[in-house]
Amino acid sequence: GFADDTAATPAGGPYPAVISEDLIDMYNTGFAKTNDLPQLTPEILSGQEAILYLGTSSFRPGPEAGVRAVSIRLIGVRDRVPLVGVSLPRGLVERWNADLAGEATPEYVQLTVVAGRAQDVEDVAAGIEGMGYEVTSGREIAQRVRTLTRVLQVAFGLIGLVVLAVA
């Protein structure tokens, strides 16, 4: 599966990556719509390549000396991946963490668990919460994203009306 499949990837990439459906929805309903840009679909994005910079962050840039550029290829769009960023095979991320940060066992901030049967979801969620972890369903996250997108659209609309009124 995707989570562990690094053997089929050439050493220099491009490495397989997936992104969130909600990220595309946010782009389409918020950014693209308000900036008169084309809508994106999973089909348009599939196979697209990009450069991923390891060892730095948009939020907390690192020293340029430790930054490594790798090529990634979008192989899919999923509803159960983190909203921000791309998801990559676990083995690959673990290897990069060991190479760049010296972390043999990385600390994960999010994990997706899929119950084998729909009727087991509540028991699985209760078990995870019993271990001290927070459980959030994809529906809750999607609803938060949609609400935020609507609030931003209204805010930008009001700003536009103020600009027109002042002009």
Side-chain angles (χ1 to χ4, degrees), residues 9-55:
T9 304
Y15 299 102
V18 296
I19 61 171
S20 170
E21 286 178 356
D22 292 331
L23 183 62
I24 294 174
D25 289 342
M26 280 180 54
Y27 168 84
N28 286 338
T29 60
F31 190 76
K33 199 174 205 178
T34 58
N35 291 290
D36 200 29
L37 294 171
Q39 302 282 302
L40 296 178
T41 65
E43 294 78 22
I44 289 172
L45 294 172
S46 183
Q48 295 295 317
E49 292 188 17
I51 301 297
L52 179 66
Y53 294 95
L54 306 175

Side-chain angles (χ1 to χ4, degrees), residues 99-159:
D99 290 349
L100 295 169
E103 294 180 13
T105 307
E107 181 179 317
Y108 295 99
V109 295
Q110 181 173 341
L111 178 68
T112 300
V113 176
V114 180
R117 301 177 314 162
Q119 58 264 34
D120 294 336
V121 170
E122 291 300 320
D123 291 337
V124 170
I128 292 170
E129 287 173 338
M131 292 188 287
Y133 296 104
E134 179 182 334
V135 176
T136 306
S137 76
R139 288 185 179 136
E140 292 169 350
I141 294 169
Q143 183 59 39
R144 287 185 208 160
V145 167
R146 286 185 192 96
T147 300
L148 176 62
T149 301
R150 288 184 189 120
V151 167
L152 289 173
Q153 285 176 322
V154 168
F156 287 132
L158 290 173
I159 290 169

